[in-house]
């Protein structure tokens, strides 16, 4: 194997690879958080709780 004359090149390459991996991981975490926050608003409400986010018919009048 050929000797690298400047070890600074290897250091920059390692930092660059780590930056790409971190960027991908960060984007994935943002996507997951966004999906989970949207799921909270689209889930049906618990029984007995009024549905504040969707149009629900008014309760029957006597």
């Amino acid at each position: 194997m050929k000797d690298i004359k400047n070890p600074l090149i290897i250091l920059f390459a390692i930092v660059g690879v780590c930056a790409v991996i971190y960027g991908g991981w960060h984007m994935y975490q943002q996507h997951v958080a966004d999906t989970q926050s949207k799921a909270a608003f689209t889930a049906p409400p618990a029984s007995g709780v009024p549905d504040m986010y969707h149009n629900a018919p008014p309760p029957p009048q006597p």
Side-chain angles (χ1 to χ4, degrees):
M1 185 171 171
K2 195 174 181 182
D3 287 336
I4 303 288
K5 296 188 184 207
N6 194 351
L8 195 59
I9 294 173
I10 294 176
L11 178 67
F12 284 147
I14 291 171
V15 168
V17 168
C18 291
V20 168
I21 291 171
Y22 174 76
W25 176 78
H26 185 69
M27 287 177 56
Y28 171 73
Q29 290 295 322
Q30 282 184 333
H31 175 71
V32 169
D34 187 40
T35 304
Q36 287 178 349
S37 69
K38 286 181 182 176
F41 289 108
T42 58
S47 65
V49 176
D51 190 0
M52 299 185 308
Y53 299 113
H54 301 96
N55 265 342
Q61 300 294 318

